[in-house]
Amino acid sequence: MNALNFCAFGMCVAPKLWISETVSFDQAVGSRNFGEQMPEQREKDSVLIVAPNAVDNGGIDLFSLPAERRISTLNSDRDTNTGMVMAVQPILRNGGQVTLVVGYESGHTAVWVTASAVNERATWKWVQTYSHQSHSQPILSLDVSPDHEFYITCSADAILAKHPIPTDGLLQTPSKIVNTKHAGQQGVQIRSDGKIFATAGWDKKARVYSTKTMKELAVLKWHKEGCYTIVLADVLGQQIVGDMEIEGQRATAALSLEKIRKARLKKAQEMHWLAAGGKDGKISLWDIY
């Protein structure tokens, strides 16, 4: 991997459907050694790792674990000078079709998909289904919505952009672009319910936005230096939360103090937490919507 690239690697779980019951694991990941059967590998999901290419700064390598080998390479866009890859996130959908969401040094972002669902004998042919330059500065972070319908990009500039993730054709129009008036947004993450997302800013503040309207909902001020990373805890369904509250009430009435303590601890762990990390070396924890 290219150690001089700023981009963090991305990963996703590749389901068992990638590997048929009649071929070896080596065949499934593209090896030329078709001899030995490895059923113990077929029983496990593999992990797809994506990282910038070691030679081509605009290219991306895809690796498979536990096979520990490169299974495909997406070359840089020859029609657009995108610069190096700054952020990348892989997703799987449509029964095995691999999609790469990429942010570049030039401020461009693109969506690449395999021409068909990937299986043990498929040739990995990449097709670009979306491309747009929403930012004037390098893209620093991006995140894909839980339903894989859109993604958010942030940059060293003041722009937040919402983009579609088409499966075919070639779109070149973003869903929405917002000028936040404050440059330098280092990190972004969409919450698991898809309703809100949060950003980490160089202006020492974390901010919360609506994914639907892209309007600012909250400004979180605490850090003394710039915020560099942000993370949102997963949100449970309303039924699960309600069951937990009922259980907590029963515990208050009848169960031991130890069980009450565990119930409260579990509830605290499943609140709507937001954590922000700053250049000051500190992490702030917030309970939000």
Side-chain angles (χ1 to χ4, degrees):
M1 295 184 183
N2 189 352
L4 299 179
N5 197 293
F6 295 99
C7 178
F9 71 85
M11 62 179 289
C12 66
V13 175
K16 287 177 267 189
L17 59 86
W18 278 29
I19 303 171
S20 74
E21 296 297 325
T22 59
V23 300
S24 70
F25 183 74
D26 282 342
Q27 276 182 291
V29 296
S31 172
R32 295 182 181 273
N33 178 13
F34 299 152
E36 183 181 359
Q37 296 287 322
M38 299 180 67
E40 69 279 2
Q41 297 282 11
R42 289 200 300 268
E43 294 174 358
K44 300 178 181 178
D45 290 339
S46 59
V47 176
L48 183 65
I49 303 288
V50 296
N53 185 271
V55 178
D56 181 4
N57 283 336
I60 298 171
D61 287 331
L62 293 88
F63 301 88
S64 178
L65 295 177
E68 298 182 7
R69 69 185 71 223
R70 182 169 59 186
I71 55 177
S72 182
T73 296
L74 171 62
N75 295 322
S76 59
D77 191 341
R78 304 305 180 191
D79 299 326
T80 305
N81 183 17
T82 61
M84 70 173 63
V85 175
M86 298 295 292
V88 59
Q89 189 169 339
I91 56 176
L92 291 178
R93 55 183 184 175
N94 297 338
Q97 187 182 48
V98 180
T99 300
L100 293 182
V101 179
V102 191
Y104 296 100
E105 182 182 12
S106 63
H108 285 84
T109 182
V111 174
W112 297 85
V113 302
T114 51
S116 61
V118 177
N119 56 53
E120 69 276 1
R121 297 186 183 275
T123 300
W124 289 56
K125 296 181 179 179
W126 294 96
V127 177
Q128 188 180 84
T129 60
Y130 176 77
S131 177
H132 190 265
Q133 185 178 12
S134 304
H135 302 275
S136 60
Q137 298 293 323
I139 291 177
L140 298 179
S141 183
L142 60 82
D143 196 33
V144 175
S145 66
D147 59 7
H148 298 167
E149 293 296 324
F150 65 90
Y151 66 102
I152 305 290
T153 57
C154 65
S155 169
D157 60 20
I159 297 296
L160 287 176
K162 179 179 179 181
H163 312 269
I165 308 179
T167 57
D168 52 27
L170 178 58
L171 296 181
Q172 295 181 312
T173 304
S175 303
K176 194 174 184 65
I177 294 178
V178 175
N179 187 344
T180 64
K181 307 298 184 182
H182 45 83
Q185 296 167 104
Q186 181 78 31
V188 62
Q189 188 180 53
I190 302 171
R191 198 167 66 179
S192 61
D193 60 1
K195 294 181 179 180
I196 64 173
F197 69 95
T199 63
W202 292 349
D203 62 354
K204 313 173 189 178
K205 301 169 186 175
R207 288 177 168 84
V208 181
Y209 296 86
S210 164
T211 55
K212 184 177 181 179
T213 64
M214 299 287 285
K215 290 183 178 180
E216 184 179 280
L217 302 177
V219 180
L220 309 179
K221 306 176 184 179
W222 184 80
H223 289 273
K224 303 302 181 182
E225 297 186 63
C227 295
Y228 282 177
T229 188
I230 197 91
V231 64
L232 290 159
D234 290 345
V235 175
L236 295 178
Q238 291 298 319
Q239 182 61 44
I240 297 176
V241 173
D243 292 344
M244 287 170 49
E245 292 175 349
I246 293 173
E247 184 63 28
Q249 293 170 2
R250 292 174 180 171
T252 303
L255 300 181
S256 66
L257 291 177
E258 178 63 19
K259 290 185 177 180
I260 294 174
R261 186 190 69 80
K262 290 182 178 179
R264 289 175 176 173
L265 178 61
K266 183 177 180 181
K267 185 174 181 179
Q269 291 173 338
E270 294 166 339
M271 293 177 70
H272 297 177
W273 296 116
L274 178 151
K279 185 180 178 182
D280 52 14
K282 298 178 181 179
I283 297 173
S284 59
L285 189 63
W286 308 78
D287 178 20
I288 57 173
Y289 314 103

